[in-house]
Amino acid sequence: MENKTNILAIEGPFSFENTFQKHHRTTDTLKSMVIKPEESRFIKWINLAGKPFLLDITVVNEENGISMHQNQRVDKDIERELQTFMKRMFGTDYRLESFYEHIRENSHRVTQVTHLFHGMRVITNPDLFETTVDTIIGQQVNLKFAATLKERLIRYAGTVHRFEEDNLYIFPSPDRVAKLEYQELQDLSFSQRKSEYIIDFARLVSSGAIDLNALWNLSNQEIIDHLMPLRGIGMWTVECLMLFGLHRPNVLPAADIGLRNAVKFLYDSEKQPQTEEIRKLAEEENWYPWESYITYYLWQYLNTI
C-alpha cells in the first residue's frame, strides 16, 4: 500500500458490477470514466481544489464492506479534498442496508428490483457546475443530441486526455465558460437561448454571485428557492441537480418518463401512469425518504426490459 492512499471505506453490501454497469459517458468517442471490472478499478478526471486531478481508484473487499484506494500517494490537503469528493460521489451518509430494510417493509414490488441489483451504490457527480450545465444542455432535446452538444462544448472549452485506449475529458471550469460569447456556442449548434442560459450561469458562478458549494448545506426547498429565479433553470433542472449532483436521497422526479415506464412494467399496468399517480403510489408505499434511490433502481430495471 506504500504507493496508494486509502481514501474511503463504505459499509456493505457493495457490488462493483452492479454499481458500475451503467456509468456516464458523453459519446462513444469521449468518456467521463474508464471502468476496469477485472481490477475493480475506475479512472476519471475531476476538478479538485481548482486543478485537474486524475482519480484512479481501486476497490478492495473488506470484511464488512469495501475500501477505496487512490493508486498514488497524495499530500494531506489533496487527500482531504479527495475524501470529500468521494464521500459525496458515493453518498456515504446513506446506508444501503437501511434503504433495503425500508423497502422490504413497504413495497414488495420494489423489493424485487433491489434483489436484482443488490449492492448497487448510487454514483453521482459532485461537480455541481458540470451537473447543472449538463442538465441545461439536456433540456428539451433527445439524449443523443444532448451528448453531442456536451462533447462539442468539452472539446471547444475543456480538455481531453488520452488514457490507454480511451479519451477522458475534463469539463471546462466556470471561469472558462464565462469568458465565451453566445455566438461561440451557437456556432456549435446550441440554440440562442441555451447558449445564453449556460454562459450567464457560468458568469454568475465565476463572479461569486452563485456559490454552488453552499448548496451542500441547504435543504431541498432552500435549493429550489435559491436556483429557480435564475433564467434557464426550472424545477426539472433543480431536481436533476439534486439527483445527479448533490446526491439527495429524497427527490421524486414523478414526471420522468423513464420512471413512469418502469412503474408501468413493474406493476403490470395497462398504460403508463401519470405524474400524480406516481406521487400517489410513492405515498401509499411510503417511498420517503428513499425516492431517489428507488428511482435509480427502477431506471436500471427499465434497462433490462
Side-chain angles (χ1 to χ4, degrees):
M1 297 299 298
E2 60 275 2
N3 294 321
K4 300 177 184 287
T5 303
N6 192 353
I7 296 297
L8 187 66
I10 298 179
E11 186 178 342
F14 183 90
S15 166
F16 189 95
E17 179 182 0
N18 286 338
T19 298
F20 288 99
Q21 64 181 316
K22 186 173 175 18
H23 61 279
H24 245 68
R25 107 176 14 208
T26 305
T27 65
D28 288 336
T29 60
L30 192 60
K31 295 181 179 180
S32 67
M33 189 183 299
V34 169
I35 306 298
K36 294 182 172 292
E38 69 282 357
E39 302 175 36
S40 295
R41 180 182 171 205
F42 61 95
I43 302 98
K44 175 181 175 67
W45 278 101
I46 62 175
N47 288 305
L48 197 69
K51 297 180 180 179
F53 180 85
L54 184 63
L55 189 68
D56 183 355
I57 298 290
T58 296
V59 180
V60 180
N61 289 319
E62 306 286 358
E63 184 177 350
N64 297 314
I66 56 104
S67 60
M68 296 191 180
H69 307 291
Q70 170 70 16
N71 291 318
Q72 66 187 70
R73 297 300 301 173
V74 296
D75 64 40
K76 289 298 181 182
D77 289 339
I78 291 296
E79 183 178 341
R80 283 192 291 270
E81 293 277 350
L82 187 53
Q83 285 174 338
T84 298
F85 187 95
M86 294 288 288
K87 287 176 180 178
R88 290 171 172 174
M89 182 177 179
F90 285 90
T92 56
D93 289 340
Y94 314 114
R95 291 183 63 249
L96 207 53
E97 192 52 59
S98 296
F99 165 54
Y100 292 154
E101 182 179 351
H102 183 89
I103 295 305
R104 285 193 297 267
E105 293 174 353
N106 292 282
S107 177
H108 171 70
R109 296 275 186 159
V110 177
T111 298
Q112 297 174 39
V113 178
T114 58
H115 281 325
L116 281 176
F117 306 109
H118 189 73
M120 183 180 80
R121 296 286 313 190
V122 170
I123 303 177
T124 56
N125 182 4
D127 186 330
L128 302 186
F129 178 70
E130 177 180 351
T131 303
T132 304
V133 172
D134 197 5
T135 305
I136 293 172
I137 290 173
Q139 292 171 355
Q140 298 180 324
V141 297
N142 63 54
L143 291 175
K144 184 176 181 180
F145 185 54
T148 298
L149 290 177
K150 183 177 180 180
E151 177 169 353
R152 288 175 182 172
L153 173 61
I154 290 166
R155 291 189 182 277
Y156 186 75
T159 310
V160 177
H161 288 288
R162 193 75 177 167
F163 184 87
E164 296 180 356
E165 288 144 12
D166 296 298
N167 288 321
L168 280 172
Y169 71 78
I170 305 174
F171 198 77
S173 68
D175 291 347
R176 175 71 180 97
V177 178
K179 293 176 182 177
L180 299 177
E181 299 298 330
Y182 302 142
Q183 187 60 49
E184 290 178 87
L185 290 191
Q186 289 176 244
D187 290 344
L188 301 177
S189 299
F190 285 76
S191 68
Q192 178 179 336
R193 284 191 176 182
K194 197 161 288 191
S195 301
E196 293 170 2
Y197 295 161
I198 291 170
I199 292 174
D200 288 352
F201 177 71
R203 289 171 180 171
L204 289 171
V205 175
S206 180
S207 69
I210 293 292
D211 181 6
L212 292 178
N213 203 46
L215 299 182
W216 294 102
N217 298 315
L218 300 182
S219 69
N220 289 2
Q221 188 57 52
E222 287 171 332
I223 292 168
I224 292 169
D225 295 341
H226 193 60
L227 296 180
M228 284 281 284
L230 302 181
R231 185 166 176 257
I233 295 183
M235 181 57 75
W236 180 78
T237 304
V238 177
E239 284 182 340
C240 286
L241 176 61
M242 291 192 290
L243 280 165
F244 302 118
L246 289 161
H247 209 126
R248 294 298 166 92
N250 53 346
V251 178
L252 179 65
D256 180 78
I257 191 168
L259 175 60
R260 290 160 55 197
N261 277 331
V263 168
K264 173 182 181 294
F265 288 111
L266 183 63
Y267 287 80
D268 300 317
S269 301
E270 292 185 2
K271 59 181 182 178
Q272 183 190 87
Q274 299 302 305
T275 300
E276 287 310 310
E277 291 175 290
I278 294 292
R279 296 193 189 281
K280 182 180 178 182
L281 174 65
E283 184 176 352
E284 290 174 347
E285 296 197 350
N286 193 25
W287 287 7
Y288 182 86
W290 295 103
E291 295 101 326
S292 301
Y293 277 59
I294 292 170
T295 300
Y296 280 109
Y297 271 71
L298 289 178
W299 280 334
Q300 193 61 53
Y301 163 72
L302 189 62
N303 291 327
T304 68
I305 298 172

